[in-house]
Amino acid sequence: MKLTKQQKYVLDSPARMKCVVAGRRGGKTYTSIASLAQHARHPGSTCCYISPTHGMARQVMWKPLKHMLLEKNWVKKINESNLEIELVNGSIIMLRSADNPDRLRGLSLTHAVLDEAADIAPETFTEVVRPALADQQGTALIISTPK
């Protein structure tokens, strides 16, 4: 996956929590895919892509993520109905929606990507996602178009 200079800058940042605001067609989806892959390459990782709605997760992220992981031969198993991919190294990448934050509770995450974060209630991150990252000192990429 070829990344732009700006995308590399974001991914190479040592910050635990990264926040990116970029306009339409600014490369946010590819940055998100690269971020998920970067963290899932470590065996046993649990990475989660969170979008405002289930439909958005499926429409925006599912196909390009699957394509990239299959192309790299990283995939062990794909669960289409749960939008989950198990990698050969034991890592999991799951796609979830923030429309019902209670469904995100109980997760222990290595990395989370919140896409279109301006459309997600702030307490979803503070009360649900951040605690899910806490026990593993997980990282987050919070990304959105300007609102």
Side-chain angles (χ1 to χ4, degrees):
M1 173 180 284
K2 186 135 171 81
L3 299 173
T4 66
K5 184 177 170 183
Q6 294 84 357
Q7 290 167 323
K8 287 178 189 173
Y9 177 80
V10 169
L11 295 174
D12 291 344
S13 167
R16 183 172 168 228
M17 306 290 173
K18 303 172 189 180
C19 186
V20 176
V21 178
R24 292 187 69 238
R25 310 303 310 152
K28 296 181 299 296
T29 299
Y30 288 108
T31 303
S32 297
I33 291 170
S35 179
L36 290 165
Q38 181 181 58
H39 291 278
R41 78 178 192 272
H42 302 290
S45 297
T46 304
C47 302
C48 188
Y49 170 86
I50 303 165
S51 67
T53 66
H54 177 81
M56 182 182 284
R58 182 175 287 283
Q59 180 181 357
V60 171
M61 180 58 66
W62 189 236
K63 279 186 181 180
L65 177 65
K66 278 193 313 185
H67 177 73
M68 189 273 292
L69 294 173
L70 287 166
E71 198 172 76
K72 289 182 172 284
N73 293 317
W74 285 15
V75 175
K76 179 179 180 182
K77 185 168 102 177
I78 295 175
N79 186 323
E80 290 285 341
S81 58
N82 287 341
L83 300 182
E84 292 182 6
I85 302 172
E86 183 180 348
L87 305 183
V88 294
N89 69 357
S91 292
I92 303 268
I93 299 176
M94 60 182 74
L95 278 59
R96 297 291 185 263
S97 69
D99 53 0
N100 184 349
D102 286 336
R103 284 190 236 153
L104 298 169
R105 292 187 189 277
L107 296 174
S108 176
L109 300 174
T110 309
H111 182 65
V113 173
L114 279 79
D115 195 3
E116 293 303 342
D119 294 329
I120 296 174
E123 55 272 8
T124 299
F125 181 75
T126 58
E127 295 175 15
V128 181
V129 177
R130 183 148 187 167
L133 295 166
D135 62 333
Q136 296 189 52
Q137 287 296 296
T139 57
L141 173 61
I142 302 163
I143 200 160
S144 191
T145 50
K147 293 279 179 179

